Amino acid sequence: MEMLGNSQKKQKLSNTSQSWGMQRSTNVTFQAHHVSRNKRGQVVGKKGGFRGCTVWLTGLSGAGKTTISMALEEYLMGKGIPCYTLDGDNIRQGLNKNLSFSPEDREENIRRIAEVARLFADSGLVCITSFISPYSRDRHNAKDIHIKAKLPFFEVFVDAPLHICEQRDVKGLYKKARAGEIRGFTGIDAEYEKPETPDVVLKTDSTNINECIQQLVDLLREKDILPFDPFSEVKELYVQENKLDLVKADAETLPAVQIGKLDMQWVQVLAEGWATPLNGFMREREYLQCLHFKYLQDGNINLSVPVVLPVSTADKERLDGVTAMALVYEGKRVAVLRNPEFYEHRKEERCARQWGTTCKDHPYIKMVMESGDWLVGGDLQVLDRVCWNDGLDQYRLTPTELRQKFKEFDADTVFAFQLRNPVHNGHALLMQDTRKQLIAEGYRKPVLLLHPLGGWTKEDDVPLHWRMKQHAAVLEEGVLDPDSTIVAIFPSPMMYAGPTEVQWHCRARMVAGCKFYIVGRDPAGMPHPDTGKDLYKPTHGAEVLKMAPGLMAINIIDFKVAAYNTAKKAMDYFDPRNRQDFDFISGTRMRKMAREGENPPDGFMAPKAWEVLKEYYKSFDSA
């Protein structure tokens, strides 16, 4: 937030330059960016085309300029658009450290900023400036500097009533100005000259931060600064209500192909928009891009796993040449696949590229090898919402519904944690610390998306309904804050494809609107079926995510190794200096304790959550 300013017209001021010169930049605070230098380095040069411009935010102290500028910077960097924010407080601590708040120095302050912004814009960056800049003449001069350089300049009026700005004044500067301790404070004893024809007006007293950013994004897109964003809207493949009866009637007349439960889970993934911007099951062009490049070239969109529909040779020969077919699951026509394209399912090649192995004892590879010899792609129309009637459908929120849920929670950022295992206090420690870290970075209300995978999993994984009971117990005991946690189910099947699959997990959460993604140790990994060794290096998932193309819009949070600290009697981050204090409780040992009715050490897992696991293993063993 910018602190001191004076919008009183210069000719009305009687104070001398010398007296003003005594009032130095003492009430300024460095504003931390949400974007790291590492992230900037990844982004520069990622997008083609010149996008240099300046977005000039002006308004009273406390109107929300710094908050909006930092959020816009974070948004743009997430989309691969190089940018940088010049904040009033930050500039006053460096470049303009020698300037006072005299009328002459205030004019020079804005002139310098305008020239620096021009240089940033000329280098191809979107330069975002956050300054009170109360004088119309100074803002016009800043714009003229850009016009002469043939660079776009957008004036943005961050408009909030004075009483709202005073309520937001956490440092009490308005209070000091009211008491006469600060002279010439904009809005109190110095006038602010409102922009007459700004490019955008942001009413921050009635518009939240996400809506403000969307207004700015719309402006930059309209002015061809931003390219089309394929994730700006979720592409659901459900038939629109007004066309549903017609499509259902058509489906009854079409030739049909039977699909299994795994296929139906992929139908749900597509229908709900997790695979945005796919229009349906992959055609061969999309399949080859995914298999070889891990992203779709038409838009440079990360998509690392094939979303395909295998069919038998008999079905291929029967249906080859049709313009549409119905997909039938458990006797019900659930979808229509239009303009189908059949192509060979080269299973060994697919497995070698997707999993890095062709071991037929790998549980998902086994299913691939036993599936049809052909793949069929096409445009998918799903007739009704996919429900499994297992008592958990209320947790199966679509990306669009999650975006709305985040708004209802008044979240200014969302961090996601995917899991296919029960939550212990080591997981909780990382989620709690992540929230604290985000608050320290300036976020007001970070919300956690606890997002267990809900599709097919291998036989020895804890079933979904037991995991959901265990997660509910964790929230009930207050290990995670219910007021800042959303529990939902991610419908994708689990493929156990290591770093390749982790990209899919991450980008799907990006579609839902998540800004941060916690990646675990050995995510989507498993032991090699033959050797028992890790199929993938445990750290590669996190390393790959940080380099993966098309994932710039999400920030990766490394999973820290946690173990039970016997000295603290709690889960704690592992410290090799005190190795003797740590007890690594393996999954095998945890399952053994649960089966035998034993309790883990105090602090390992919430007691009610542990009781759920004991109940599961007891029922599992008795069965």
Side-chain angles (χ1 to χ4, degrees):
M1 183 183 294
E2 300 159 22
M3 298 304 162
L4 292 180
N6 185 358
S7 61
Q8 190 170 344
K9 296 181 180 178
K10 295 169 191 172
Q11 62 269 28
K12 295 181 181 179
L13 289 172
S14 59
N15 306 71
T16 66
S17 297
Q18 283 184 325
S19 64
W20 276 99
M22 297 298 293
Q23 190 172 348
R24 295 291 176 180
S25 309
T26 56
N27 294 307
V28 295
T29 305
F30 183 79
Q31 303 296 326
H33 294 255
H34 295 165
V35 179
S36 68
R37 287 180 178 174
N38 180 57
K39 177 67 76 175
R40 292 185 198 281
Q42 295 177 39
V43 165
V44 173
K46 290 287 184 182
K47 296 285 184 180
F50 182 81
R51 308 186 190 283
C53 68
T54 291
V55 179
W56 191 281
L57 304 183
T58 176
L60 293 173
S61 176
K65 299 181 298 301
T66 293
T67 301
I68 291 169
S69 65
M70 295 301 182
L72 178 61
E73 179 187 61
E74 183 181 19
Y75 175 91
L76 294 177
M77 292 296 288
K79 300 299 181 185
I81 306 298
C83 61
Y84 195 81
T85 290
L86 299 175
D87 182 80
D89 277 10
N90 293 355
I91 295 297
R92 282 279 186 179
Q93 295 182 61
L95 176 66
N96 292 349
K97 187 177 182 179
N98 64 320
L99 296 181
S100 71
F101 288 92
S102 69
E104 293 80 8
D105 278 4
R106 284 175 169 141
E107 180 178 356
E108 176 62 11
N109 180 52
I110 297 304
R111 187 196 69 79
R112 290 185 191 180
I113 297 310
E115 291 289 358
V116 172
R118 176 186 64 81
L119 293 174
F120 273 64
D122 192 47
S123 73
L125 272 68
V126 175
C127 184
I128 309 161
T129 68
S130 175
F131 295 85
I132 293 173
S133 45
Y135 301 139
S136 295
R137 187 180 73 179
D138 290 345
R139 296 194 301 268
H140 291 158
N141 288 342
K143 185 173 183 177
D144 286 341
I145 287 171
H146 286 73
I147 291 174
K148 290 176 182 177
K150 298 181 179 179
L151 291 167
F153 180 96
F154 307 111
E155 186 179 45
V156 178
F157 179 27
V158 184
D159 186 11
L162 178 61
H163 73 277
I164 295 294
C165 294
E166 291 196 63
Q167 290 173 13
R168 295 172 178 169
D169 183 28
V170 295
K171 294 183 180 179
L173 295 178
Y174 276 102
K175 185 177 180 181
K176 291 181 180 179
R178 293 281 187 193
E181 297 176 33
I182 300 176
R183 294 177 297 108
F185 193 84
T186 306
I188 303 300
D189 58 348
E191 184 184 358
Y192 175 81
E193 299 174 1
K194 293 183 179 181
E196 295 180 1
T197 56
D199 293 280
V200 174
V201 177
L202 302 178
K203 296 279 189 179
T204 60
D205 60 324
S206 58
T207 308
N208 66 35
I209 182 65
N210 292 329
E211 293 168 336
C212 288
I213 296 305
Q214 190 57 53
Q215 284 183 255
L216 294 174
V217 168
D218 290 343
L219 168 69
L220 295 176
R221 192 165 286 141
E222 177 188 340
K223 301 297 183 179
D224 294 325
I225 302 299
L226 296 187
F228 172 72
D229 179 9
F231 290 160
S232 59
E233 294 185 10
V234 178
K235 180 174 282 190
E236 293 188 356
L237 302 184
Y238 286 114
V239 178
Q240 294 179 2
E241 184 91 20
N242 61 347
K243 299 179 180 179
L244 187 55
D245 290 341
L246 182 64
V247 178
K248 281 188 173 181
D250 186 32
E252 292 297 326
T253 68
L254 295 173
V257 62
Q258 303 289 330
I259 64 173
K261 186 174 183 178
L262 185 69
D263 302 321
M264 190 62 193
Q265 290 174 355
W266 284 115
V267 167
Q268 182 177 10
V269 165
L270 287 165
E272 294 181 354
W274 297 102
T276 296
L278 287 184
N279 293 313
F281 285 106
M282 289 178 172
R283 290 184 166 87
E284 189 171 30
R285 172 183 169 83
E286 295 164 322
Y287 173 71
L288 290 175
Q289 291 178 13
C290 165
L291 205 62
H292 291 270
F293 310 133
K294 308 303 180 192
Y295 70 95
L296 303 178
Q297 287 184 312
D298 301 331
N300 294 329
I301 300 161
N302 186 286
L303 192 48
S304 59
V305 299
V307 184
V308 293
L309 180 61
V311 295
S312 67
T313 300
D315 281 335
K316 185 262 183 187
E317 292 176 349
R318 177 173 60 89
L319 297 168
D320 202 3
V322 302
T323 58
M325 65 179 73
L327 304 186
V328 178
Y329 176 66
E330 293 187 342
K332 181 182 178 181
R333 294 180 181 239
V334 296
V336 173
L337 193 68
R338 298 196 183 276
N339 303 313
E341 175 188 335
F342 293 91
Y343 53 100
E344 187 179 357
H345 190 186
R346 301 179 64 86
K347 302 173 188 178
E348 188 172 5
E349 179 188 5
R350 173 187 172 185
C351 293
R353 291 189 178 277
Q354 185 172 348
W355 284 274
T357 180
T358 57
C359 177
K360 295 181 181 179
D361 290 326
H362 183 291
Y364 204 104
I365 291 177
K366 184 175 186 292
M367 293 191 294
V368 170
M369 292 299 187
E370 293 172 354
S371 67
D373 292 334
W374 296 87
L375 298 174
V376 59
D379 299 330
L380 189 67
Q381 293 180 300
V382 182
L383 303 180
D384 294 308
R385 179 155 185 163
V386 178
C387 294
W388 298 96
N389 302 314
D390 56 359
L392 299 175
D393 285 326
Q394 71 270 25
Y395 293 105
R396 293 184 173 95
L397 302 180
T398 68
T400 299
E401 289 169 340
L402 282 171
R403 290 185 181 194
Q404 180 59 38
K405 198 78 171 176
F406 301 152
K407 289 182 181 179
E408 293 171 5
F409 268 59
D410 194 27
D412 57 352
T413 196
V414 180
F415 60 107
F417 186 65
Q418 174 183 287
L419 62 169
R420 70 175 195 270
N421 293 308
V423 175
H424 59 60
N425 287 356
H427 300 136
L429 176 65
L430 179 60
M431 289 182 269
Q432 293 162 354
D433 278 5
T434 298
R435 187 169 188 274
K436 291 176 183 176
Q437 176 186 335
L438 293 175
I439 291 173
E441 290 180 8
Y443 291 101
R444 177 180 47 81
K445 189 175 180 183
V447 167
L448 164 66
L449 174 61
L450 188 65
H451 214 197
L453 185 137
W456 174 90
T457 56
K458 55 189 175 68
E459 289 184 355
D460 59 348
D461 282 342
V462 177
L464 176 64
H465 73 278
W466 285 103
R467 283 185 277 133
M468 293 299 290
K469 286 180 66 175
Q470 197 265 354
H471 301 342
V474 168
L475 285 169
E476 184 182 343
E477 294 218 16
V479 176
L480 297 174
D481 177 19
D483 293 332
S484 60
T485 303
I486 296 171
V487 181
I489 294 173
F490 179 45
S492 174
M494 189 74 197
M495 291 161 276
Y496 307 93
T500 295
E501 183 177 0
V502 170
Q503 295 175 65
W504 158 246
H505 293 166
C506 182
R507 68 89 71 187
R509 278 38 180 247
M510 191 168 72
V511 172
C514 297
K515 301 297 184 185
F516 295 84
Y517 184 76
I518 301 174
V519 57
R521 179 187 177 278
D522 195 20
M526 61 170 284
H528 193 288
D530 292 339
T531 66
K533 296 180 180 179
D534 288 333
L535 194 52
Y536 310 101
K537 186 175 179 179
T539 58
H540 278 182
E543 292 176 28
V544 167
L545 280 185
K546 293 174 182 177
M547 299 184 288
L551 296 181
M552 289 293 104
I554 199 160
N555 296 277
I556 307 305
I557 300 173
D558 288 339
F559 188 91
K560 298 178 182 176
V561 177
Y564 185 74
N565 189 320
T566 58
K568 294 182 179 180
K569 296 189 181 302
M571 294 297 288
D572 193 12
Y573 294 129
F574 176 65
D575 183 353
R577 296 171 298 180
N578 300 312
R579 186 181 301 270
Q580 71 282 353
D581 292 338
F582 287 88
D583 182 7
F584 286 86
I585 300 175
S586 67
T588 301
R589 182 175 158 197
M590 184 180 73
R591 288 189 290 270
K592 183 176 183 294
M593 286 190 293
R595 283 194 175 100
E596 295 176 358
E598 298 180 13
N599 290 324
D602 290 342
F604 173 75
M605 185 180 291
K608 289 183 180 179
W610 180 254
E611 289 300 318
V612 172
L613 281 189
K614 286 202 300 186
E615 184 183 353
Y616 162 65
Y617 282 112
K618 183 178 178 181
S619 67
F620 180 79
D621 289 340
S622 61

